[in-house]
């Protein structure tokens, strides 16, 4: 089965930027779509951004205009560029890939200080 590994999380001040990476053990072309989710402690895991094999993107209203999801097929990696970060963006961010099944990474922590 496919493994997804997130990286790039860390501590950043409000208004700053971070870029998260999701590296797949195989070609990300095998996925019909990929997405980023996030989960704050004690809260539900929610969809942040998604991208289809055809390149169609979708964003949660809370991050629209600030976050960008993208792909690098050569590196088998999906990215989430996060700009103008807010304290409410603080969460563990998870990568998801979908084909016949759903595959999840283990998450990377993002902390935005006020």
């Amino acid at each position: 089965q496919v493994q997804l590994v997130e990286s790039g999380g860390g501590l950043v001040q409000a208004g700053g930027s971070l870029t998260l990476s999701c590296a797949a053990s195989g070609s990300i072309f095998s996925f019909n779509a990929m997405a980023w989710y996030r989960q704050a402690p004690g809260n539900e895991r929610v969809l942040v951004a998604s991208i289809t094999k055809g390149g169609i993107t979708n964003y949660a209203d809370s991050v629209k205009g600030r976050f960008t999801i993208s792909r690098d097929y050569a590196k088998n990696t999906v990215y989430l560029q996060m700009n103008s970060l807010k304290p409410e963006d603080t969460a563990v961010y998870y990568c998801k890939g979908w084909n016949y099944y759903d595959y999840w990474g283990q998450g990377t922590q993002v902390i935005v200080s006020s």
Side-chain angles (χ1 to χ4, degrees):
Q1 294 190 332
V2 177
Q3 276 200 323
L4 301 174
V5 180
E6 302 96 335
S7 62
L11 175 64
V12 64
Q13 287 186 296
S17 299
L18 281 176
T19 299
L20 306 183
S21 299
C22 173
S25 59
S27 175
I28 60 174
F29 189 76
S30 66
F31 293 111
N32 298 111
M34 300 191 73
W36 286 94
Y37 289 72
R38 68 187 183 189
Q39 186 172 22
N43 294 335
E44 298 294 322
R45 188 174 299 184
V46 297
L47 177 66
V48 175
S50 64
I51 185 166
T52 69
K53 184 180 292 184
I56 300 173
T57 58
N58 189 39
Y59 299 92
D61 288 341
S62 59
V63 306
K64 193 172 298 182
R66 300 188 297 121
F67 290 11
T68 303
I69 187 170
S70 61
R71 304 165 298 183
D72 187 333
Y73 285 110
K75 296 181 178 179
N76 292 316
T77 301
V78 172
Y79 302 96
L80 184 67
Q81 182 185 8
M82 305 184 294
N83 299 324
S84 302
L85 283 162
K86 305 174 181 179
E88 51 262 45
D89 295 320
T90 296
V92 176
Y93 284 72
Y94 296 90
C95 181
K96 174 188 173 183
W98 168 68
N99 46 35
Y100 297 106
Y101 303 97
D102 291 342
Y103 300 90
W104 291 91
Q106 294 301 307
T108 185
Q109 176 74 61
V110 172
I111 300 174
V112 184
S113 62
S114 58

